[in-house]
Amino acid sequence: MLSRKKCIYAIVLAAIAVIGGVVVYVAVSDKVSFSVVMSQSMQHDQYESALGIIDTGDIVLVKDVEHSKIESFVKGTQTGYKTFGDYGSVVIYDRGNTKNPVIHRAIVWIDYDASTGTWSSEDLKGYKGQWYCKTSDGRTTHDWSDLSGTIYFEGLTQSQKNVNIFISKFTSSGFLTMGDNVANVTFDQNAGIIDHLISLNNINSIPFQEIPWLGTLKIYFKNDGANLEHVPNSMPSLIMLIALLFGILFLVDMLTLRRNSRELEDELDTIVKERTPPPHHFHWRMGRGIPHHIKVVCLRFFFLKSMKISSSLTLSQIF
């Protein structure tokens, strides 16, 4: 059975191997199993990264849409479903035309009925937050099944944003999306990021786990450190994490070495005692007053030399 120290040693080695493997994989791979966050649009703090939040330089592990739960922020406030520090799902969607994918939160699903040219949102049916709709014919309504014109939201998301959007321009169903950052004061569909609602076909993956700080290396070496000024604590945190892992590894190694040294010393002392000549050959009086550690050294010396010279050599000759 493995000792506790050996288990710790193995765990630390495994952690270093995993972190190193992830860093190398992210640096050379273009697969969507990992995604490095390149901007600050999902940060909850403009100038500091935090655990559990998607920050610049974080790595997010992602799953495909077919094996993921996708729920809007509005729906999440009713069910309690949260991801990355707020209600609802975070999605990664394509923009086409060789533009970078966007990782933002799904806020509310809007249904468009092409046969009637009307809009609705069942997500809003039980929503307790503040919202209303000013319809195209001038009415103000809270009827989720009869939407048109402009929808207004107050106190939306953890950053308490007041936003609105003209939905009558959309001719398909999908999510309204928005970044968590307090500086993102409007929907992506109003900000020029995308010009349509985000359908399920537009979503290429769903983030489900954050690995903090590791992506800062890729941004630093491949993108000249762009946007890392928004997470000044990430690189020091990464360095401290690596130093801590190696420090633990070094400590465990030293403790193991010390334990092995003691075991070897005990075993060596036992062997020396077994090879020590009878008492009448040993002048004990000559050994009095000699510090214990000196005696130990001498005993070891005697044991080693006795392998090469005659066994008639006595300890009195050494002392």
Side-chain angles (χ1 to χ4, degrees), residues 268-277 299:
L268 192 58
D269 287 344
T270 300
I271 296 174
V272 169
K273 289 177 181 178
E274 292 175 353
R275 296 180 61 89
T276 300
L299 288 172

Side-chain angles (χ1 to χ4, degrees), residues 43-317:
Q43 290 182 204
H44 290 189
D45 188 301
Q46 276 282 67
Y47 296 102
E48 188 176 51
S49 63
L51 297 177
I53 308 299
I54 299 177
D55 302 303
T56 307
D58 285 352
I59 292 174
V60 288
L61 307 182
V62 300
K63 297 186 292 187
D64 56 42
V65 177
E66 291 75 14
H67 298 91
S68 303
K69 178 178 182 178
I70 305 178
E71 197 167 280
S72 72
F73 167 86
V74 168
K75 190 68 175 178
T77 62
Q78 303 167 55
T79 64
Y81 180 67
K82 281 187 172 185
T83 60
F84 302 107
D86 211 346
Y87 291 105
S89 301
V90 174
V91 301
I92 299 178
Y93 66 84
D94 291 317
R95 296 189 290 167
N97 299 323
T98 68
K99 295 180 180 179
N100 289 334
V102 174
I103 177 169
H104 278 176
R105 193 172 301 276
I107 302 299
V108 61
W109 179 273
I110 304 293
D111 281 308
Y112 175 69
D113 188 339
S115 63
T116 61
T118 58
W119 297 262
S120 64
S121 176
E122 195 165 348
D123 282 1
L124 293 170
K125 185 176 181 179
Y127 181 50
K128 303 300 182 182
Q130 298 296 314
W131 75 278
Y132 61 93
C133 178
K134 285 189 175 181
T135 63
S136 300
D137 56 7
R139 293 177 294 113
T140 298
T141 179
H142 291 85
D143 186 355
W144 61 269
S145 64
D146 181 22
L147 302 175
S148 64
T150 303
I151 300 181
Y152 295 80
F153 293 91
E154 296 178 2
L156 197 64
T157 74
Q158 50 80 34
S159 53
Q160 297 294 299
K161 301 170 186 175
N162 298 327
V163 295
N164 64 80
I165 190 166
F166 183 68
I167 65 169
S168 295
K169 63 183 178 180
F170 301 125
T171 57
S172 62
S173 301
F175 287 109
L176 288 170
T177 53
M178 184 167 54
D180 285 359
N181 195 304
V182 66
N184 289 357
V185 294
T186 188
F187 293 106
D188 296 349
Q189 289 75 13
N190 269 352
I193 297 174
I194 196 78
D195 60 4
H196 57 81
L197 300 176
I198 304 303
S199 68
L200 295 179
N201 290 333
N202 298 135
I203 300 173
N204 65 37
S205 55
I206 305 296
F208 68 93
Q209 182 62 54
E210 166 223 19
I211 302 178
W213 316 318
L214 289 185
T216 55
L217 295 176
K218 183 172 184 177
I219 295 177
Y220 184 81
F221 289 109
K222 289 193 172 184
N223 292 77
D224 298 323
N227 295 321
L228 289 183
E229 67 272 13
H230 293 282
V231 285
N233 60 318
S234 288
M235 188 66 80
S237 296
L238 178 60
I239 294 172
M240 288 173 61
L241 174 62
I242 295 174
L244 176 62
L245 290 174
F246 277 101
I248 293 174
L249 183 63
F250 177 77
L251 178 62
V252 172
D253 193 45
M254 291 299 296
L255 291 174
T256 302
L257 183 61
R258 182 177 179 182
R259 184 196 63 188
N260 293 340
S261 177
R262 286 178 177 176
E263 292 177 353
L264 180 61
E265 181 178 325
D266 292 341
E267 183 178 352
L268 192 58
D269 287 344
T270 300
I271 296 174
V272 169
K273 289 177 181 178
E274 292 175 353
R275 296 180 61 89
T276 300
H280 65 276
H281 285 198
F282 180 73
H283 301 282
W284 291 101
R285 184 171 297 177
M286 295 184 67
R288 291 179 181 177
I290 299 176
H292 176 71
H293 68 280
I294 299 296
K295 292 183 180 181
V296 171
V297 171
C298 292
L299 288 172
R300 288 181 179 176
F301 176 76
F302 167 73
F303 171 72
L304 295 175
K305 294 294 288 184
S306 65
M307 298 298 181
K308 299 180 180 180
I309 63 178
S310 172
S311 60
S312 63
L313 177 66
T314 65
L315 287 177
S316 61
Q317 292 174 281

Side-chain angles (χ1 to χ4, degrees), residues 27-42:
V28 302
S29 176
D30 294 324
K31 294 183 179 180
V32 296
S33 298
F34 297 91
S35 182
V36 177
V37 182
M38 307 299 289
S39 77
Q40 72 277 14
S41 66
M42 288 296 290

